Amino acid sequence: VNAAMAPPADGLWHNLRVERALCDPPCAATEPTAIGVRDGRIAYVGAIDAAPPEFAALPRHDGGGAYVTPGLVDCHTHLVYAGDRAHEFAERLAGASYADIARAGGGILSTVRATRAADEETLYQAAARRLRHWLAEGVCAIEIKSGYGLDLATERRLLRVARRLGDTHHVTVRTTFLGAHALPAEFAGRADAYVDRVAREMLPVLAAEGLVDAVDVFCDDIAFSVAQSERVFDAAAALGLRVKMHAGQLSDLGGVGLAARHRALSADHLEHLSARDIDAMRDAGMVAVLLPAAFYALRDTHAPPIDALRAAGVPLAVASDHNPGTAPVLSLLLAMNMAATLFRLGVDEVLAGVTRHAARALGLESTHGTLGVGKPANFVLWDLQSAAELAYWIGAPRPRIVVRQGTIAHRAADAT
Ligand code: DI6
Ligand code: FE
């Protein structure tokens, strides 16, 4: 369906089995259940007989017994870039490590070269082609990071493309400025000067242009130090922007403690994470964003400390981390399976990880992540029995119907 043509979802959707753990407020234990949509918002969840009388005049949509979840949220992607890194995949198969390739000027920097050479339209078309996979899976909100430009003009282009994707596809896009993703070649040996450029020039300009919803830093031994990350976070704070951090993917520099002091929305990756920083995350109300597709693609063996995070009560989100280097994955559902299989998350945790907790990792908890009365209508009808099937099938489930931003955005027949 062309987004501009999608019919309104207003009316009473009935004959549904809604995911009760994600109803807000909790809905009475009746089944089948109905969801009332009015003016593009969820106005009612409950028994069809108890629906407010105003729905009598609105259309009825028979859900045919479908299982219903909130629209999915992918809270960590690097969706906009040019080219791909299939050649580096081949090098890794021949024995090179991700870090070796990065140090030799490949890795992120090879995507930076391709991205700088691409115009806005080319970047837009490539990202729009990819985005269709997320939309077909019932994703209703997606975070898109910059970070393959590493200069003002190209970072601006990436963020503009991200904004445009949201406008043209009727999907909620949150932009994250990741200028501190890698050290560009022209700053080789001058990391502090580059961080200055990011914090004092790029971020304030892009924020003033309304292109930045949050700010991220790649804090790791092949990227930026804790002190450098702090300068970027201080600049974000001065602009009133929330922060998040790529932390502990390859090594633990202790950046999560800094992120907690800055009340970060999330820390992401976290394969290497100390007990002290887990407590700091809990105390700061941060979300732990798990990225199992990157773990899988790098054949990592050091899983994040899931048990300790769970015991501490840190909310766990699951995201794709889509990027051309370490997570060339085009499916959030596949990342969900990986979170279960590789990280041993339970079914309910996986589902909360791509809904409630993912929304929180983006600061979107008031509009997304639950079947919440008053929230914009974002929900998915699945031809599945339960959440277990969402995490269980590898590569198969497609929604029957996706209601996104109050419109009927996809039906199974056009989900291809
Ligand atoms: N961590 C990641 O997994 C990606 N970025 C990051 O900070 C990798 C990006 C790439 O290799 O292109
Ligand atoms: Fe990432």
Side-chain angles (χ1 to χ4, degrees):
V1 178
N2 177 330
M5 312 277 290
D10 275 28
L12 196 59
W13 295 75
H14 64 101
N15 201 5
L16 307 172
R17 290 175 298 112
V18 302
E19 176 53 56
R20 281 168 200 286
L22 294 169
C23 287
D24 176 21
C27 70
T30 55
E31 213 165 63
T33 308
I35 298 179
V37 178
R38 195 187 54 218
D39 300 329
R41 289 181 182 270
I42 296 177
Y44 175 74
V45 181
I48 188 168
D49 299 337
E54 66 201 75
F55 285 105
L58 294 179
R60 292 231 164 169
H61 307 276
D62 188 345
Y67 167 65
V68 181
T69 67
L72 305 187
V73 178
D74 192 345
C75 66
H76 182 139
T77 85
H78 309 247
L79 195 71
V80 187
Y81 57 85
D84 65 61
R85 302 245 288 285
H87 53 288
E88 289 183 6
F89 179 65
E91 285 172 35
R92 292 214 309 274
L93 292 176
S97 76
Y98 180 67
D100 294 338
I101 292 171
R103 283 192 200 96
I108 294 173
L109 291 186
S110 83
T111 299
V112 170
R113 286 189 290 275
T115 302
R116 287 179 175 179
D119 65 20
E120 190 166 320
E121 188 60 23
T122 304
L123 291 166
Y124 173 79
Q125 293 298 341
R129 264 194 307 281
R130 292 189 277 268
L131 179 62
R132 280 188 213 121
H133 293 265
W134 276 257
L135 301 181
E137 284 192 340
V139 168
C140 292
I142 183 169
E143 188 248 24
I144 300 179
K145 300 177 194 295
S146 69
Y148 288 115
L150 311 183
D151 61 31
L152 177 61
T154 315
E155 289 290 302
R156 175 188 286 127
R157 212 147 68 232
L158 299 176
L159 294 168
R160 285 170 51 100
V161 166
R163 279 272 187 264
R164 188 173 152 204
L165 288 168
D167 294 342
T168 51
H169 291 75
H170 288 199
V171 60
T172 301
V173 168
R174 296 296 278 180
T175 58
T176 299
F177 172 63
L178 179 56
H181 190 196
L183 188 62
E186 64 273 20
F187 279 89
R190 296 186 298 130
D192 284 317
Y194 178 65
V195 170
D196 248 27
R197 179 72 60 88
V198 167
R200 295 205 204 165
E201 183 186 324
M202 295 164 70
L203 175 56
V205 169
L206 296 170
E209 293 175 12
L211 291 170
V212 179
D213 295 328
V215 177
D216 194 351
V217 176
F218 187 12
C219 182
D220 216 310
D221 59 7
I222 63 162
F224 296 94
S225 69
V226 175
Q228 290 163 345
S229 301
E230 183 163 24
R231 283 157 59 206
V232 178
F233 282 2
D234 285 342
L239 295 163
L241 292 168
R242 300 292 301 270
V243 298
K244 38 181 60 225
M245 181 183 269
H246 280 72
Q249 182 183 15
L250 307 169
S251 62
D252 179 13
L253 301 187
V256 171
L258 169 71
R261 286 194 294 284
H262 280 258
R263 303 257 144 211
L265 288 162
S266 68
D268 305 35
H269 283 295
L270 305 176
E271 276 77 3
H272 303 269
L273 178 66
S274 69
R276 173 161 28 112
D277 282 348
I278 291 174
D279 290 344
M281 288 183 73
R282 179 202 52 218
D283 294 344
M286 290 168 63
V287 177
V289 178
L290 306 173
L291 305 171
F295 177 91
Y296 164 85
L298 292 176
R299 304 185 73 231
D300 201 343
T301 52
H302 195 286
I306 303 293
D307 289 342
L309 285 162
R310 184 188 285 129
V314 175
L316 306 177
V318 174
S320 70
D321 194 20
H322 174 87
N323 73 73
T326 60
V329 61
L330 293 153
S331 169
L332 182 59
L333 289 165
L334 180 54
M336 291 165 67
N337 173 267
M338 289 177 174
T341 303
L342 299 174
F343 294 165
R344 310 312 288 165
L345 261 63
V347 163
D348 296 342
E349 289 177 316
V350 171
L351 181 58
V354 295
T355 53
R356 189 194 291 279
H357 298 156
R360 181 161 159 196
L362 298 179
L364 289 178
E365 60 271 31
S366 64
T367 52
H368 292 73
T370 62
L371 297 166
V373 172
K375 286 185 174 182
N378 291 296
F379 56 84
V380 187
L381 277 61
W382 306 89
D383 278 315
L384 300 174
Q385 283 308 306
S386 68
E389 277 194 87
L390 277 178
Y392 159 76
W393 295 109
I394 301 178
R398 282 287 180 277
R400 187 193 300 173
I401 291 177
V402 180
V403 170
R404 194 166 51 239
Q405 293 192 343
T407 68
I408 304 173
H410 284 269
R411 292 180 184 275
D414 45 54
T416 48

